[in-house]
Amino acid sequence: MADHGVVTPASPRWSDEPADPAAWTAAHDRLYTRYAGLYDVAVRVVPVWRRWLRQALPEIRGPRVLEVSFGTGWLLTQYADRHRTDGVDLNAALVEVARRTLARAGVHADLRQGSVEALPYPDDTFDTVVITMAFTGYPDAAAAAAELARVTKPGGRLVLVDIAYPHDGNRWGTLLVDRVWRPLGDLVRDLHAVLTDAGFEVRDDEVGGCGSVHRYVATRPATSGPGPVSPSGPGPSQ
């Protein structure tokens, strides 16, 4: 896998942020509530999806790990027994699905319902924060990235797997972004720039989907002061 410092697709068409972030989030929350069971089955039986999620595993460092938007909890079963692990997801139905998933696997993590824009943790808490195939569903990328930086320890990292244009602008990867991921509701952003603006040093690897699936390893500099604080700051679970 090539290692790239900057994402440079040939003709990127970045998504606009939703005009009504609250309505966007509410609509997605209703969708996940309706299809939580089907989503759980799909994650467990579709090999390519699990292969993409697994790309986060080699980059996770403990001892404290947070997974945001953990969905069905499948990825948690692959690493949570090796670290002190917390998890936050906005959707109440998926929190319950994930708890059952962990119970079946005999793995423990402290799971809560909450928002990425108001994570219920103090500053500088986690050695690694993990998000897979979820950031493109957040309606305010800058606020989410700032809050993720806030809870990451200096020297810690954000491991993010999600959708972006292929570095070389190849036809098939670009078509997947424009004809598959966008119609499914993904907000396609310049994630390298979003994470850099939040204070991270970013490494970007293409890991699947003809270059349309990327793994970002975003490190918070060890010498930095307190992480950027989102407009809402630390908050209670929602």
Side-chain angles (χ1 to χ4, degrees), residues 6-233:
V6 179
V7 183
T8 54
S11 300
R13 292 195 308 113
W14 306 122
S15 302
D16 294 327
E17 303 291 76
D20 188 339
W24 173 275
T25 298
H28 276 67
D29 191 39
R30 290 192 297 271
L31 186 67
Y32 279 112
T33 297
R34 179 177 299 176
Y35 295 110
L38 182 61
Y39 182 30
D40 184 28
V41 172
V43 171
R44 287 188 281 116
V45 303
V46 179
V48 69
W49 192 261
R50 295 197 305 275
R51 184 160 64 247
W52 291 341
L53 299 186
R54 282 195 183 101
Q55 298 301 320
L57 295 175
E59 304 295 341
I60 295 174
R61 307 284 186 269
R64 289 212 65 181
V65 178
L66 170 67
E67 185 167 342
V68 181
S69 302
F70 49 73
T72 68
W74 179 83
L75 188 64
L76 285 163
T77 67
Q78 307 300 297
Y79 71 86
D81 58 341
R82 298 192 295 277
H83 307 289
R84 180 182 172 186
T85 304
D86 293 79
V88 171
D89 198 290
L90 182 67
N91 185 264
L94 286 176
V95 172
E96 292 308 312
V97 169
R99 284 175 176 156
R100 293 195 295 270
T101 298
L102 293 180
R104 286 195 301 268
V107 174
H108 173 73
D110 182 3
L111 304 186
R112 307 186 193 186
Q113 184 183 4
S115 168
V116 67
E117 295 179 13
L119 294 170
Y121 306 101
D123 295 356
D124 307 338
T125 298
F126 297 101
D127 299 280
T128 302
V129 179
V130 181
I131 305 178
T132 58
M133 309 304 280
F135 198 95
T136 47
Y138 299 156
D140 188 333
E147 183 70 343
L148 295 166
R150 181 186 67 78
V151 301
T152 302
K153 291 179 180 179
R157 55 177 49 183
L158 168 65
V159 180
L160 171 62
V161 177
D162 220 316
I163 304 306
Y165 285 101
H167 295 123
D168 62 3
N170 76 79
R171 177 184 180 187
W172 294 111
T174 300
L175 282 173
L176 281 171
V177 173
D178 287 336
R179 303 294 177 84
V180 177
W181 299 115
R182 282 180 180 276
L184 286 173
D186 287 284
L187 298 169
V188 184
R189 287 96 160 211
D190 184 346
L191 292 178
H192 186 282
V194 169
L195 297 175
T196 299
D197 288 347
F200 289 107
E201 298 172 351
V202 183
R203 191 184 89 222
D204 172 7
D205 304 314
E206 294 177 345
V207 294
C210 299
S212 68
V213 180
H214 292 237
R215 179 184 62 203
Y216 300 88
V217 180
T219 302
R220 186 173 163 206
T223 57
S224 66
V229 178
S230 68
S232 56

